[in-house]
C-alpha cells in the first residue's frame, strides 16, 4: 500500500513537472505583489481586492505581501531591487513620485517599469460642521486675508501636496500642520481650520453632518458623495491625483507585462472590485502599459513642481 | 437593553461564537509565545476576515484583541518576556512573584484583573461611548505631549539600584527614537542613506529582542534560575475573594486610566500600563515593595491594558478614528464590509454595533475560561529543558520580528537590540527605560513640535491648556518627590 502511494505520488510529480513548461512561459508559479502600506489601509484593501479579481484570468495566485514603512519607500525599494522576472510585482501609488522627488529614494521614477493604472483616489478639503466656510471659494477668500491652519497626514504626504498646489492655484498661503494619524480628531477638536484628507476617512462623519467636505480633487464626482464639487469646477484643478496601479522591476520581460496587463484589465471590470470601490470611495479607471508610463511621467512633472516650490526636494529644510 | 440582548444573541450564533473562541484562543497564543505578538496575529488573520460576514469577522478580531491583552501577561510572568507592549510593565512584579513560587497566584490575579478591566471598559463603551468620544477630542497635541512627558518622567521609577544608570538607559532610548524619518518635516535622520533605516527603530522588534535575547543567552549558558513548581489546580489559581477585594482600589483606578488612555489615538497601551502601575505604587502604603513581587503591581497594568481595548473602540466606532493599530485594522475590516464606523453607525446599523458589544462580552468570558483552563499547559513551559526551550524561543523571535512588516531589517534590529539588552543587564543597566523611551519618544516629539507649530513657536501653549497644565504639574511633582526621597535616603545612609 505504501509503495503504491509512493509510486502514485511520484507519477503525479513527474506529470506535474513535465506539463508545466509546455503549457506557458509565464506565469508558471505564484506572483508576489508588494503592498507598501499597512494591512487594512486604503492601499491594502484596493490592492488585495484587485489582485484577487485578477487571479482568475492570470491563472496563478497573486500573493499580496505588506512591506510598509517610511511612507512607502521601503516597499518601493524592495520592488526596485527584486529580480525582473515578472514574479515580483508592486502595488504602487502616487507616493512613489513624492518619495523620489523628495529624495527619500536614491533614484527617480524611471527606476521601475509601469504596467497599469487601476485606481484613482480623491483628496478632499474638509472643515468642521460649525465652520464659517460653506464652500471652497469662501475658505479661499478667508485664507487670503488671514493665515488659516490646514492639516494633512505629513510634510511630504500626498494630501499636503494637494493642499499646497490648491493654495498656489488659488493664490493664498496657509500654515501647514503635519497632523499624522491624528488628522481627523484634530479637526474635530478644533486645533486646525481645515484638513486635506482622503475622503473615506471622513465620509461617515460627513454623512452624519459632523464635518463638511468642501471640495474634492478628483477626475469626476464620486457616487458616494455626489454633492461635493470638484476642485476643477471652481477653476483650481491641481492636475495630479492619488492613483494606484501596478509596477515591476526595470527590465521585466514584455510577455510578463502583457500577461499582467490582460489579467488586471479584466479585474478592473470585476463586479466585486467595483462594489468595493463604491464602498471605499475610490474610482476604478484602467490604463494599460501603452499609455501608463507617459501618464506617470506627466504626473511626476506636476508633483515635482509643487515639491520644488515648497523646498521639499532639499535634504535639509530651508528656513521659511 | 433589548438591543443589548439582541446583540448578544447575534454574537452567540454558532459561527460568530466559533470564531470568537478561535480569536480568543489565537490572541492568547500569539501574545503568550515569546517573539510572536498580537499585532502579528492580527496582520496574519486580517486577509481572512475580508471574506467573512461582518459579525463573524468582528468576533474574530475582537477575540484576538481581548485574548491578546490577557495572554501577554503569561510569558511576562513565567519567562520575563512580555508578549506585547501592554504587558511590559506586568513583568516587573509578575516575574519576581513567579520566582517566589507564586506564579499561579500572579497568573490568576493577572487574568482576573484583565477580565474586570475589560468589563469596565465594555460598560463604558455601551453606556457613554458618544460622550467619551467627545471628551477625548479635548486632548489635542499639547495635552498629549504633556501626558507622554509625564510617562517619560515615570521612567525614573525603574531605577532599582542606580538613578544614573536608569537615566542613561532612558536617554539612550530617546536617542534611538530620533533615528529615521522625522515625524514633522519628513526628513531622514541618521539613516546613512540606507532606505531601510528611514522607517526608524520600530518598537515591536526592539521589544522582542531586548527581553527575549538576554533570556535566551543566559538560558543557553545555563545561568537561568529555574522557577519553583506550583500547584496548577484551578482552586489554587483562583484568587480568593479576599485577595480580589483587597485589590479593588487598584482595579478601579487602573480600569479608569486604561479606558481613558484607550480613547486617545496614538498613545498606546504601554502608557496606560505605566501610568496605572505608577498610580498604584504611589497610592500604596508600602511603595518600596513594588518591583519585588507585589500583586498590585500585576493587577494594575493588566486591568489598565485590558480596559484600553474598550477605550480604543470608542473613537473607532463613534467617529471612525482608530485609537491604536489593532482598531485601525478593525476599521479596515468594517469598511470593506460596507459598514463605515461613525456617528451614523449606531443609527443605521445599531443591531450590528450591539453584536460587537456582544462579541466583546463573550470574548472576555472565553478568554478568562481559556486562560484558566490553559494554565496547566502554559506552566509546562517551565518543565521544558532549556536546551529545547530557548532555541525554540529564538526561532519564534526571528519569525515574529520578520512577520510584522515582512522585513529582514527588523530581524537584524531585533538581534542587535537583543545583544544590547544582554550587555545592559550584565552591567546592571535596566532595559525598561530604554524600551519605554523608544515607544514614547516619537509620540512626545511629534506632539510637542506640532503644538509649537500650532502656537507659532509660543511654548505658552503647554501651560494655557488646563489638561496639559495638570499633566505637567503631576510630572514636576513626581520628579520632586523622587528627588526628595533619594536625598533623604542618601542622608540617612550618609553619616553611618
Amino acid at each position: 500500500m505504501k509503495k503504491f502511494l509512493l509510486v502514485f505520488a511520484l507519477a503525479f510529480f513527474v506529470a506535474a513537472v513535465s506539463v508545466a513548461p509546455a503549457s506557458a512561459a509565464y506565469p508558471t508559479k505564484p506572483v508576489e505583489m508588494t503592498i507598501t502600506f499597512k494591512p487594512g489601509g486604503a492601499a491594502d484593501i484596493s490592492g488585495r481586492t484587485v489582485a484577487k479579481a485578477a487571479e482568475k484570468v492570470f491563472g496563478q495566485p497573486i500573493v499580496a505581501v505588506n512591506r510598509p514603512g517610511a511612507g512607502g519607500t521601503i516597499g518601493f525599494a524592495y520592488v526596485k531591487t527584486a529580480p525582473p522576472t515578472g514574479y515580483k510585482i508592486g502595488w504602487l501609488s502616487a507616493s512613489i513620485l513624492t518619495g523620489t522627488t523628495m529624495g527619500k529614494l536614491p533614484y527617480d521614477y524611471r527606476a521601475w517599469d509601469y504596467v497599469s493604472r487601476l485606481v484613482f483616489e480623491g483628496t478632499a478639503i474638509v472643515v468642521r460642521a460649525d465652520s464659517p466656510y460653506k464652500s471652497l471659494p469662501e475658505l479661499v477668500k478667508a485664507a487670503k486675508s488671514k493665515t488659516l491652519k490646514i492639516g494633512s497626514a505629513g510634510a511630504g504626504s500626498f494630501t499636503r501636496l494637494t493642499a499646497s498646489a490648491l493654495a498656489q492655484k488659488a493664490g493664498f498661503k496657509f500654515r501647514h500642520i503635519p497632523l499624522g494619524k491624528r488628522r481627523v480628531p484634530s479637526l474635530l477638536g478644533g486645533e486646525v481650520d481645515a484638513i486635506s484628507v482622503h475622503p473615506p476617512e471622513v465620509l461617515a462623519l460627513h454623512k452624519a453632518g459632523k464635518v463638511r467636505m468642501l471640495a474634492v480633487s478628483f477626475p469626476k464626482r464620486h457616487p458616494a458623495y455626489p454633492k461635493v464639487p470638484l476642485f476643477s469646477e471652481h477653476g483650481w484643478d491641481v492636475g495630479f491625483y492619488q492613483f494606484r496601479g501596478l509596477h515591476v522591476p526595470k527590465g521585466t520581460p514584455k510577455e510578463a507585462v502583457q500577461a499582467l496587463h490582460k489579467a488586471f484589465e479584466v479585474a478592473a471590470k470585476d463586479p466585486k472590485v467595483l462594489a468595493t470601490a463604491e464602498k471605499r470611495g475610490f474610482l476604478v479607471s484602467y490604463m494599460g502599459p501603452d499609455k501608463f508610463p507617459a501618464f506617470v511621467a506627466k504626473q511626476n512633472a506636476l508633483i515635482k513642481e509643487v515639491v520644488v516650490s515648497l523646498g521639499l526636494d532639499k535634504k535639509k529644510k530651508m528656513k521659511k | 437593553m433589548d438591543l443589548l440582548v439582541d446583540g448578544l444573541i447575534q454574537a452567540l450564533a454558532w459561527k460568530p461564537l466559533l470564531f470568537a473562541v478561535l480569536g480568543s484562543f489565537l490572541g492568547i497564543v500569539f501574545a503568550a509565545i515569546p517573539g510572536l505578538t498580537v499585532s502579528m496575529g492580527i496582520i496574519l488573520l486580517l486577509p481572512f476576515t475580508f471574506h467573512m460576514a461582518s459579525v463573524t469577522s468582528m468576533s474574530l478580531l475582537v477575540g484576538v484583541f481581548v485574548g491578546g491583552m490577557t495572554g501577554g501577561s503569561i510569558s511576562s510572568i513565567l519567562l520575563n518576556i512580555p508578549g506585547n507592549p501592554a504587558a511590559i510593565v506586568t513583568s516587573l512584579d509578575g516575574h519576581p512573584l513567579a520566582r517566589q513560587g507564586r506564579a499561579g497566584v500572579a497568573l490568576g490575579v493577572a487574568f482576573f484583573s484583565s477580565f474586570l478591566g475589560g468589563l469596565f471598559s465594555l460598560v463604558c463603551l455601551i453606556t457613554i461611548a458618544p460622550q467619551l468620544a467627545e471628551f477625548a477630542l479635548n486632548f489635542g497635541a499639547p495635552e498629549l505631549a504633556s501626558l507622554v512627558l509625564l510617562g517619560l518622567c515615570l521612567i525614573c521609577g525603574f531605577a532599582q539600584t542606580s538613578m544614573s544608570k536608569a537615566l542613561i538607559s532612558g536617554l539612550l532610548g530617546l536617542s534611538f527614537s530620533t533615528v529615521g524619518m522625522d515625524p514633522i518635516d519628513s526628513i531622514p535622520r541618521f539613516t546613512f542613506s540606507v532606505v531601510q533605516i528611514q522607517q526608524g527603530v520600530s518598537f515591536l522588534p526592539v521589544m522582542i529582542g531586548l527581553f527575549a535575547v538576554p533570556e535566551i543567552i543566559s538560558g543557553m549558558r545555563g545561568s537561568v534560575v529555574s522557577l519553583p513548581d506550583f500547584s496548577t489546580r484551578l482552586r489554587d489559581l483562583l484568587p480568593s475573594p479576599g485577595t480580589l477585594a483587597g485589590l479593588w482600589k487598584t482595579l478601579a483606578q487602573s480600569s479608569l486610566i486604561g479606558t481613558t488612555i484607550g480613547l486617545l489615538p496614538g498613545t498606546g497601551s504601554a502608557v496606560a500600563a505605566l501610568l496605572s502601575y505608577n498610580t498604584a505604587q504611589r497610592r500604596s502604603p508600602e511603595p518600596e515593595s513594588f518591583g519585588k513581587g507585589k500583586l498590585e503591581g500585576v493587577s494594575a497594568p493588566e486591568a489598565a491594558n485590558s480596559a484600553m481595548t474598550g477605550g480604543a473602540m470608542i473613537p473607532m466606532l463613534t467617529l471612525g478614528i482608530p485609537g491604536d493599530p489593532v482598531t485601525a485594522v478593525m476599521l479596515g475590516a468594517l469598511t470593506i464590509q460596507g459598514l463605515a464606523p461613525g456617528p451614523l453607525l449606531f443609527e443605521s446599523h445599531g443591531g450590528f454595533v450591539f453584536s460587537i458589544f456582544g462579541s466583546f462580552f463573550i470574548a472576555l468570558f472565553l478568554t478568562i475560561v481559556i486562560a484558566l483552563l490553559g494554565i496547566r499547559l502554559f506552566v509546562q513551559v517551565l518543565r521544558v529543558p532549556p536546551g529545547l526551550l530557548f532555541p525554540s524561543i529564538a526561532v519564534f523571535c526571528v519569525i515574529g520580528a520578520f512577520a510584522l512588516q515582512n522585513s529582514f531589517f527588523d530581524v537584524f534590529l531585533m538581534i542587535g537590540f537583543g545583544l544590547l539588552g544582554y550587555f545592559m543587564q550584565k552591567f546592571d543597566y535596566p532595559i525598561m527605560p530604554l524600551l519605554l523611551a523608544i515607544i514614547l519618544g516619537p509620540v512626545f516629539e511629534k506632539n510637542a513640535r506640532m503644538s509649537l507649530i500650532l502656537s507659532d513657536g509660543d511654548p505658552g501653549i503647554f501651560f494655557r491648556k488646563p489638561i496639559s497644565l495638570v499633566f505637567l504639574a503631576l510630572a514636576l511633582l513626581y520628579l520632586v518627590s523622587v528627588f526628595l526621597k533619594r536625598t533623604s535616603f542618601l542622608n540617612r545612609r550618609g553619616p553611618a
Side-chain angles (χ1 to χ4, degrees):
Chain A
M1 185 63 194
K2 265 192 186 159
K3 263 186 193 163
F4 172 75
L5 274 179
L6 187 69
V7 169
F8 188 76
L10 272 176
F12 193 75
F13 179 72
V14 169
V17 169
S18 58
V19 163
S23 64
Y26 175 89
T28 54
K29 56 178 186 180
V31 166
E32 182 201 87
M33 182 169 97
T34 294
I35 293 178
T36 58
F37 292 94
K38 284 202 167 119
D44 185 56
I45 285 172
S46 56
R48 281 180 192 268
T49 318
V50 167
K52 194 94 208 146
E55 276 179 359
K56 286 178 230 160
V57 182
F58 194 59
Q60 286 284 347
I62 300 171
V63 185
V65 176
N66 299 83
R67 291 195 171 82
T73 46
I74 306 285
F76 295 137
Y78 178 86
V79 177
K80 160 79 176 71
T81 49
T85 52
Y87 291 100
K88 301 264 184 183
I89 64 177
W91 183 241
L92 90 159
S93 72
S95 309
I96 200 170
L97 303 180
T98 55
T100 47
T101 50
M102 289 169 52
K104 287 186 212 164
L105 284 158
Y107 8 84
D108 76 359
Y109 75 98
R110 283 167 295 192
W112 298 265
D113 281 341
Y114 295 88
V115 180
S116 42
R117 181 193 75 203
L118 281 122
V119 166
F120 273 127
E121 261 171 57
T123 305
I125 301 293
V126 184
V127 295
R128 273 185 316 285
D130 61 6
S131 159
Y133 317 120
K134 307 278 182 224
S135 68
L136 189 59
E138 279 181 43
L139 178 112
V140 168
K141 203 179 151 210
K144 282 180 179 168
S145 56
K146 62 171 181 178
T147 311
L148 295 183
K149 290 173 193 164
I150 301 181
S152 82
S157 69
F158 192 85
T159 47
R160 190 263 170 104
L161 295 182
T162 306
S164 297
L166 170 73
Q168 285 168 9
K169 299 261 176 205
F172 68 92
K173 286 198 162 56
F174 67 95
R175 188 184 300 161
H176 173 252
I177 318 285
L179 293 170
K181 290 195 186 89
R182 285 190 50 252
R183 48 197 178 258
V184 181
S186 187
L187 175 75
L188 292 172
E191 277 189 316
V192 290
D193 298 298
I195 54 171
S196 172
V197 67
H198 292 309
E201 296 180 30
V202 290
L203 200 53
L205 291 167
H206 173 74
K207 284 185 177 158
K210 289 233 163 200
V211 302
R212 192 158 48 238
M213 294 209 277
L214 294 181
V216 58
S217 172
F218 215 27
K220 65 177 197 187
R221 287 204 181 195
H222 194 277
Y225 37 93
K227 285 187 189 151
V228 180
L230 306 174
F231 281 19
S232 53
E233 292 175 42
H234 294 299
W236 298 310
D237 190 8
V238 299
F240 58 85
Y241 307 109
Q242 176 64 285
F243 61 88
R244 302 192 195 278
L246 216 57
H247 68 164
V248 289
K250 192 102 197 151
T252 298
K254 285 239 159 45
E255 307 82 69
V257 170
Q258 283 306 319
L260 287 165
H261 157 55
K262 267 180 204 144
F264 278 82
E265 192 175 24
V266 175
K269 293 178 195 125
D270 189 280
K272 234 183 182 165
V273 171
L274 296 173
T276 309
E278 170 102 40
K279 280 185 224 159
R280 290 286 321 202
F282 58 82
L283 183 75
V284 180
S285 166
Y286 191 83
M287 186 183 258
D290 48 337
K291 291 189 194 141
F292 188 45
F295 171 83
V296 175
K298 214 175 140 200
Q299 294 281 303
N300 183 66
L302 288 166
I303 287 173
K304 190 166 189 171
E305 205 183 301
V306 185
V307 167
V308 171
S309 74
L310 292 172
L312 289 169
D313 55 330
K314 315 279 192 321
K315 281 255 162 99
K316 286 208 178 87
K317 203 200 170 190
M318 314 299 273
K319 284 265 174 203
K320 265 188 252 177
Chain B
M1 201 64 213
D2 282 352
L3 273 171
L4 196 59
V5 174
D6 279 352
L8 206 57
I9 291 169
Q10 273 195 55
L12 274 171
W14 71 270
K15 222 168 159 188
L17 189 64
L18 182 73
F19 278 93
V21 175
L22 191 69
S24 312
F25 175 73
L26 289 176
I28 295 174
V29 168
F30 272 109
I33 294 179
L36 307 188
T37 50
V38 185
S39 306
M40 175 193 157
I42 292 261
I43 288 168
L44 293 181
L45 290 173
L46 181 70
F48 297 101
T49 64
F50 291 171
H51 310 288
M52 292 177 191
S54 45
V55 178
T56 317
S57 70
M58 283 311 284
S59 289
L60 180 71
L61 290 174
V62 170
V64 175
F65 198 19
V66 173
M69 282 300 172
T70 305
S73 62
I74 297 169
S75 50
S76 260
I77 292 171
L78 294 179
L79 296 166
N80 200 20
I81 306 173
N84 54 28
I88 299 169
V89 183
T90 313
S91 62
L92 282 177
D93 282 85
H95 193 61
L97 276 169
R99 295 212 160 174
Q100 295 157 16
R102 298 173 69 201
V105 185
L107 287 170
V109 166
F111 296 158
F112 271 92
S113 304
S114 282
F115 175 75
L116 292 172
L119 201 61
F120 176 84
S121 72
L122 176 62
V123 172
C124 292
L125 181 61
I126 295 172
T127 51
I128 47 170
Q131 291 83 343
L132 282 177
E134 287 292 323
F135 164 73
L137 294 177
N138 291 322
F139 283 75
E143 285 85 358
L144 288 177
S146 304
L147 171 65
V148 175
L149 185 69
L150 172 62
L152 281 168
C153 291
L154 298 184
I155 288 178
C156 297
F158 298 112
Q160 283 107 346
T161 49
S162 148
M163 179 61 77
S164 29
K165 283 186 173 173
L167 290 179
I168 288 172
S169 171
L171 288 174
L172 195 63
L174 283 182
S175 324
F176 277 119
S177 78
T178 59
V179 175
M181 199 99 82
D182 120 61
I184 296 293
D185 296 317
S186 295
I187 292 172
R189 295 188 295 208
F190 307 110
T191 56
F192 305 100
S193 298
V194 179
V195 174
Q196 277 73 19
I197 303 182
Q198 283 184 14
Q199 64 175 298
V201 179
S202 351
F203 64 78
L204 280 173
V206 171
M207 179 193 84
I208 296 171
L210 270 181
F211 283 92
V213 172
E215 295 292 328
I216 294 169
I217 297 176
S218 11
M220 296 316 281
R221 296 181 66 217
S223 53
V224 137
V225 193
S226 63
L227 299 182
D229 235 341
F230 59 90
S231 159
T232 56
R233 279 187 315 169
L234 204 55
R235 198 169 355 124
D236 298 329
L237 287 174
L238 296 175
S240 67
T243 317
L244 276 183
L247 291 170
W248 80 267
K249 259 190 198 159
T250 308
L251 285 169
Q253 72 203 19
S254 304
S255 304
L256 201 62
I257 294 173
T259 309
T260 314
I261 300 286
L263 290 171
L264 310 174
T267 28
S269 50
V271 182
L274 190 60
L275 276 180
S276 59
Y277 181 83
N278 185 263
T279 313
Q281 187 177 18
R282 270 186 300 115
R283 296 235 169 152
S284 164
E286 38 193 13
E288 60 286 342
S289 60
F290 273 75
K292 293 171 192 142
K294 199 151 171 60
L295 285 179
E296 280 87 348
V298 174
S299 170
E302 281 305 305
N305 66 36
S306 243
M308 213 212 73
T309 50
M313 284 175 73
I314 290 172
M316 192 272 280
L317 286 173
T318 55
L319 298 172
I321 301 166
D324 78 327
V326 182
T327 43
V329 165
M330 286 184 187
L331 189 67
L334 282 175
T335 39
I336 205 164
Q337 307 272 3
L339 297 159
L344 292 183
L345 185 68
F346 283 77
E347 286 164 36
S348 57
H349 295 89
F352 171 69
V353 174
F354 278 91
S355 79
I356 297 180
F357 297 163
S359 313
F360 197 137
F361 191 63
I362 290 166
L364 280 171
F365 262 102
L366 286 171
T367 298
I368 192 159
V369 169
I370 295 173
L372 285 173
L373 291 179
I375 224 164
R376 288 157 186 265
L377 215 62
F378 305 142
V379 296
Q380 296 303 324
V381 154
L382 302 175
R383 301 208 179 95
V384 176
L388 290 175
L389 176 67
F390 291 104
S392 351
I393 295 182
V395 171
F396 280 123
C397 288
V398 172
I399 296 173
F402 177 78
L404 288 166
Q405 317 200 46
N406 295 299
S407 149
F408 268 110
F409 179 74
D410 283 349
V411 176
F412 293 121
L413 202 63
M414 184 273 291
I415 295 172
F417 272 89
L419 292 175
L420 178 69
Y422 176 72
F423 285 106
M424 282 175 68
Q425 289 198 340
K426 205 172 156 77
F427 296 106
D428 219 17
Y429 285 83
I431 52 176
M432 202 77 81
L434 173 75
L435 180 61
L436 289 171
I438 288 178
I439 296 178
L440 300 180
V443 187
F444 175 71
E445 187 198 345
K446 196 190 300 173
N447 287 297
R449 289 179 63 189
M450 208 188 296
S451 311
L452 290 173
I453 295 178
L454 283 165
S455 70
D456 208 7
D458 173 17
I461 189 169
F462 297 110
F463 306 104
R464 277 195 300 274
K465 307 254 178 178
I467 300 178
S468 166
L469 192 62
V470 168
F471 288 137
L472 288 180
L474 283 175
L476 188 69
L477 219 67
Y478 180 75
L479 290 182
V480 169
S481 77
V482 168
F483 179 74
L484 288 179
K485 211 180 291 169
R486 289 192 82 83
T487 44
S488 71
F489 175 68
L490 291 179
N491 283 344
R492 245 183 290 145
R493 226 175 39 166

